Amino acid sequence: MSGGTEFWFKPLLNGEGIAYNPRSYTFSYLNKKQAQKLLANHRCKIIKPKFLTPFWLCFFDLSYKCNLNCIHCHNQYKMDELTFEQKIDVIRQIHELGVLHISFGGGEPTLYPKLIDILKYASKNATCSFVTNGCFINEKLVKQLKGLVTYVGVSLDGFRETHAKMRGSDIFDKAINAIKLLKKYGIQVRVTSTPTKINYKELPDLGKFIINELRVTWKLMVYMPEGNRRDDLCLSEKEERWLYKKIRNLGKEKVDYYFNIPCPAGKSVFSIYANGDVSPCGFLPQLVSGNVRERPLIEILREGTFFKLLRIVKLKKCLSRSYWRSEKGFSLKIPMQ
């Protein structure tokens, strides 16, 4: 975020727009009156996209190289990954859409040798972040990240023993040290945790530790038994409700979770895999609607089968959760449940 910018603003039709606050990582749809008030009273970076689209967030997997073998990770692919030049061109196309934030993932993004080059280019016309296991966060890298990211996500799935069980290695201290080092240099941190049957009962105490002691925000992800991952790790709806009740009073401004929220997949959010496949949801490769090597990104988002479908379907809950808890086959009735 540069020049004291408070908000990024993306104009839509009839004077309406989307506002993004990088400090709180919040997005808001504004009517004409609200947009005028925002622009009059706050320092805003106004995005002027080539194409008028509702998309404000893109998840982009840089690479699937990783130093860990986490039991809950969806990184099971052996893909022919996009080249650096192809990634830059994809980011150019993302900029043309007026996407306000690009969240880079993997794999482990810090293992990608041109991470800083990617962030330098991407941050020219969007805000950026990435999620890391923390193993390779050092002072040299953190200094390079200043001004390129609005926050860094650091994965923490439990205290030492539980985190090691989930991650396949005892990296608890490395994750904690990464959080402290990023904070030292003024980079916002969002700790991300994935609830499974292994760790969910520990998460309320972990949340207190993250919020009260580490003093950073906390985001709960969703575990999906995609590919050959274990079905028996997925929380039941009863377990999910128990966890929600335990964490909902920890501090609303400090906790971000997917429980019972309207799903933005394919409407305002989309995902790009490391091989160039594009899906409304990164947890559902079954919904891939095209590849950026074969078609322009704007064409995939406008004409891709599942993007067209999701524009007319109301998603009251997370699409991927609905999918895995049904007959595990996508149909019109699943996302409307």
Side-chain angles (χ1 to χ4, degrees), residues 19-300:
Y20 167 51
N21 183 336
R23 295 190 182 279
S24 61
Y25 191 66
T26 52
F27 297 84
S28 303
Y29 283 93
L30 305 181
N31 60 33
K32 183 177 180 179
K33 186 175 181 180
Q34 291 170 328
Q36 289 174 338
K37 185 177 179 180
L38 176 82
L39 295 173
N41 296 298
H42 297 274
R43 295 186 301 276
C44 298
K45 181 177 176 66
I46 302 175
I47 300 299
K48 298 179 180 179
K50 179 178 179 179
F51 302 106
L52 188 64
T53 75
F55 295 102
W56 48 261
L57 174 61
C58 170
F59 295 98
F60 190 178
D61 290 337
L62 284 179
S63 171
Y64 289 114
K65 294 182 177 66
C66 190
N67 58 310
L68 299 177
N69 187 27
C70 305
I71 61 173
H72 58 293
C73 184
H74 69 278
N75 176 15
Q76 303 174 46
Y77 309 103
K78 302 296 181 184
M79 293 180 169
D80 178 20
E81 297 179 0
L82 298 173
T83 65
F84 172 73
E85 291 75 20
Q86 288 172 327
K87 289 182 174 74
I88 290 295
D89 185 64
V90 171
I91 294 170
R92 176 191 61 78
Q93 294 182 61
I94 294 172
H95 287 161
E96 290 181 343
L97 302 173
V99 167
L100 296 169
H101 189 82
I102 306 173
S103 178
F104 292 102
E108 172 52 45
T110 58
L111 286 177
Y112 184 66
K114 293 189 175 183
L115 172 63
I116 297 300
D117 294 319
I118 289 286
L119 291 173
K120 284 180 178 178
Y121 182 76
S123 61
K124 290 180 179 179
N125 291 293
T127 60
C128 300
S129 64
F130 65 89
V131 180
T132 174
N133 58 41
C135 290
F136 305 103
I137 296 293
N138 54 49
E139 198 158 17
K140 179 182 178 181
L141 176 61
V142 172
K143 288 180 179 178
Q144 291 177 301
L145 292 174
K146 286 282 291 181
L148 300 181
V149 293
T150 53
Y151 75 89
V152 173
V154 179
S155 299
L156 195 63
D157 296 306
F159 293 104
R160 184 180 303 277
E161 184 179 344
T162 302
H163 191 54
K165 190 172 184 180
M166 294 274 288
R167 297 279 159 177
S169 180
D170 183 5
I171 61 164
F172 183 81
D173 289 338
K174 291 182 178 180
I176 298 299
N177 290 337
I179 293 167
K180 293 180 177 178
L181 187 59
L182 288 160
K183 286 185 64 183
K184 176 183 174 182
Y185 282 90
I187 296 176
Q188 290 191 75
V189 177
R190 304 181 85 212
V191 171
T192 63
S193 305
T194 302
T196 68
K197 289 186 184 295
I198 292 173
N199 69 342
Y200 81 98
K201 290 186 177 180
E202 190 174 293
L203 290 180
D205 287 333
L206 182 71
K208 293 176 185 176
F209 170 71
I210 291 168
I211 294 169
N212 299 328
E213 296 189 37
L214 296 178
R215 303 185 69 82
V216 296
T217 56
W218 185 36
K219 181 175 183 178
L220 286 175
M221 305 298 290
V222 180
Y223 173 75
M224 294 299 159
E226 180 191 330
N228 59 8
R229 288 188 296 168
R230 292 164 50 184
D231 278 351
D232 62 329
L233 293 180
C234 196
L235 297 187
S236 67
E237 291 192 49
K238 181 179 179 180
E239 290 165 336
E240 210 169 65
R241 286 195 297 270
W242 177 90
L243 178 57
Y244 170 69
K245 289 179 181 179
K246 290 290 184 179
I247 68 170
R248 64 182 176 182
N249 295 321
L250 290 181
K252 291 182 179 180
E253 75 283 359
K254 290 285 187 178
V255 184
D256 183 13
Y257 44 77
Y258 281 95
F259 299 107
N260 300 319
I261 62 170
C263 182
K267 291 182 169 65
S268 56
V269 175
F270 64 95
S271 295
I272 304 176
Y273 295 98
N275 72 333
D277 282 343
V278 183
S279 173
C281 174
F283 291 113
L284 288 172
Q286 295 86 349
L287 304 189
V288 166
S289 299
N291 188 288
V292 292
R293 285 170 163 157
E294 300 166 358
R295 303 169 67 187
L297 180 57
I298 182 63
E299 186 178 313
I300 297 171

